[in-house]
Amino acid sequence: MKIAFIKGDGIGPEVTEQALKVLNAVSERFKLKFEYQEALLGGSAIDKTGVPLPDETIDICMKCDAVFLGAVGGPKWDDLPGKLRPEAGLLGIRKALKLFANLRPVMLFPQLRAASPLKEEILSKGFDIMIIRELTGGVYFGEKKRVETAEGIKAWDKMEYTSHEIERIARIAFCIARKRRKKMTIVDKANVLESSKLWREITGRIMADYPDVEASYMYVDNAAMQLVRNPGQFDVMLTENLFGDILSDEASMLVGSLGMLPSASLGATKVRLFEPIHGSAPDIAGKDEANPLAAILSCGMMLKYGFGMEKEAGAVLEAVNNVLDKGYRTVDIMQPGMTLVGTEKMGSLVAECIKA
Ligand code: NAD
């Protein structure tokens, strides 16, 4: 398997290093051969090439079986114009690889219950949610403009979706729901937004092809509230780009830290992209404080959703569970009585566990 590794900026290289350690451990234990190729994106690409997404990066990614991304961005590049900022590279690679479906599992590790801000009476019911976020449409990709008017400057961002964009992600979501608890909540704002009304129309039609999946709709404001009130009610949540961005970050706190959440992006080509959901965390970069588990779990998703290696993916999840069982914690999930470890050590512990 050929994997493009994009370390990125801030804590990106630190957590990617740990993900690589774990992948090497998987390769050793299961006698697999992974070939790695490094590519540039975001701030580090700007520094070396002047652009956030060099053509060479797209070429490398297209020739690989999967792409692993650390994180990009940081204050150093914040004052650049929009198209030259690191985040433009991120949106660009998603667009270039046609990655329209972002899968974000939100699973409560029982060992981390104390790190969650939710009350025990909610946590005790447990939750295991798969948020499926549309990734290449909506307001992030719609027309953006500013004009001078008599009342001052006016700015807008256009939220638009085609029926094709909605149908292709809905079908993926229904297929995933079929392999889980067969429940799907489609999150929108159909009481206000025309694009949401189209989502309802198209998904309503598609539902008929998946009668075994119990599907329902929920307004995004209610969904934001229900996620903290009763997360156990959700199985698969399907939503558009902006709502998915916000809800998945909210959901990340249910499990205690952004540093615990992996993601997979699937699309129209064979190349899939795997990345932790967190950003480059410039506030802790270079301090050996970042939690690498989101990156490591993203490797697990790569094995499962990228290469169909269920057993190997299971070994990664088991190793993470073992290390947490033994009481090792990075600072973001630290609790009294546990053993504090840094990024490097946490990566090594998981890798050793896989090899053992
Ligand atoms: P962030 O996710 O980088 O950080 C938010 C908070 O969570 C910070 O306090 C950070 O220290 C903490 N955090 C994040 N990951 C952590 C980890 N693995 N372990 C422990 N703590 C962790 O979000 P932000 O601060 O809003 O953004 C910082 C930069 O990252 C910005 O330039 C932003 O554009 C970029 N960003 C990139 C991506 C990506 O590459 N996919 C995603 C989100 C934000």
Side-chain angles (χ1 to χ4, degrees):
M1 293 294 169
K2 253 175 134 178
I3 306 164
F5 263 87
I6 301 174
K7 294 183 177 172
D9 313 313
I11 62 167
E14 299 167 49
V15 297
T16 304
E17 205 65 36
Q18 309 317 311
L20 262 167
K21 251 186 221 171
V22 166
L23 214 50
N24 286 333
V26 169
S27 120
E28 199 178 309
R29 171 163 157 196
F30 294 95
K31 312 266 177 292
L32 299 165
K33 193 163 181 294
F34 298 117
E35 249 178 67
Y36 308 128
Q37 199 161 2
E38 238 185 89
L40 292 170
L41 187 80
S44 52
I46 296 169
D47 288 349
K48 290 208 176 103
T49 68
V51 290
L53 175 57
D55 289 341
E56 195 194 357
T57 294
I58 300 178
D59 276 354
I60 292 175
C61 293
M62 293 294 247
K63 285 181 190 142
C64 284
D65 299 296
V67 180
F68 183 93
L69 168 64
V72 299
K76 181 178 173 190
W77 305 280
D78 274 355
D79 295 330
L80 291 171
K83 281 186 181 155
L84 285 178
R85 283 177 56 123
E87 293 78 2
L90 196 60
L91 297 187
I93 192 85
R94 288 171 181 166
K95 199 83 184 169
L97 299 178
K98 301 188 172 69
L99 301 169
F100 59 81
N102 185 226
L103 277 47
R104 298 184 165 198
V106 184
M107 210 175 75
L108 181 65
F109 283 88
Q111 306 91 328
L112 299 184
R113 268 153 74 152
S116 169
L118 293 187
K119 285 189 187 146
E120 183 54 31
E121 66 199 65
I122 298 172
L123 293 174
S124 60
K125 292 182 201 147
F127 56 86
D128 175 4
I129 309 170
M130 176 67 87
I131 298 184
I132 301 183
R133 165 188 169 194
E134 203 290 328
L135 207 57
T136 54
V139 73
Y140 292 174
F141 289 92
E143 181 199 48
K144 300 170 193 313
K145 212 162 178 175
R146 267 175 187 242
V147 290
E148 293 279 353
T149 72
E151 289 107 51
I153 302 167
K154 180 174 166 183
W156 66 88
D157 304 271
K158 199 164 159 194
M159 185 187 260
E160 53 189 357
Y161 272 104
T162 65
S163 48
H164 168 68
E165 285 173 318
I166 300 165
E167 175 159 358
R168 65 185 181 178
I169 192 166
R171 291 204 181 274
I172 287 183
F174 274 105
C175 288
I176 289 173
R178 264 191 171 159
K179 293 187 185 151
R180 292 175 48 100
R181 301 193 305 280
K182 299 188 172 52
K183 196 174 167 209
M184 178 137 87
T185 311
I186 302 162
V187 177
D188 62 25
K189 191 70 186 166
N191 49 345
V192 181
L193 300 177
E194 195 54 38
S195 56
S196 285
K197 286 181 194 149
L198 184 62
W199 270 76
R200 284 209 180 191
E201 226 173 280
I202 305 300
T203 51
R205 214 182 315 128
I206 290 167
M207 260 175 219
D209 296 339
Y210 305 85
D212 49 327
V213 176
E214 179 200 334
S216 59
Y217 295 99
M218 190 178 279
Y219 294 139
V220 62
D221 37 355
N222 186 23
M225 189 266 281
Q226 295 294 339
L227 263 176
V228 286
R229 198 183 73 91
N230 178 15
Q233 70 184 286
F234 296 113
D235 176 15
V236 172
M237 290 177 98
L238 168 66
T239 191
E240 65 88 50
N241 204 346
L242 170 67
F243 300 158
D245 194 4
I246 298 168
L247 289 180
S248 57
D249 264 29
E250 181 194 359
S252 72
M253 273 322 288
L254 307 183
V255 302
S257 169
L258 266 180
M260 290 302 301
L261 288 190
S263 82
S265 299
L266 326 178
T269 73
K270 76 170 178 65
V271 189
R272 298 173 165 192
L273 185 142
F274 303 86
E275 58 178 323
I277 81 154
H278 60 73
S280 60
D283 52 334
I284 55 167
K287 295 184 179 166
D288 195 38
E289 278 182 16
N291 184 346
L293 293 179
I296 289 170
L297 292 166
S298 300
C299 262
M301 289 193 86
M302 177 158 72
L303 294 166
K304 180 172 172 174
Y305 292 98
F307 310 145
M309 298 176 176
E310 299 265 351
K311 187 168 40 118
E312 291 79 354
V316 173
L317 190 59
E318 197 186 322
V320 169
N321 263 303
N322 277 341
V323 170
L324 293 174
D325 280 343
K326 288 179 188 149
Y328 293 107
R329 303 283 187 272
T330 43
V331 67
D332 55 314
I333 50 172
M334 184 59 189
Q335 290 294 318
M338 300 292 136
T339 309
L340 182 65
V341 292
T343 313
E344 276 272 339
K345 178 76 180 167
M346 184 58 106
S348 301
L349 285 165
V350 177
E352 286 313 312
C353 217
I354 288 173
K355 285 192 243 168

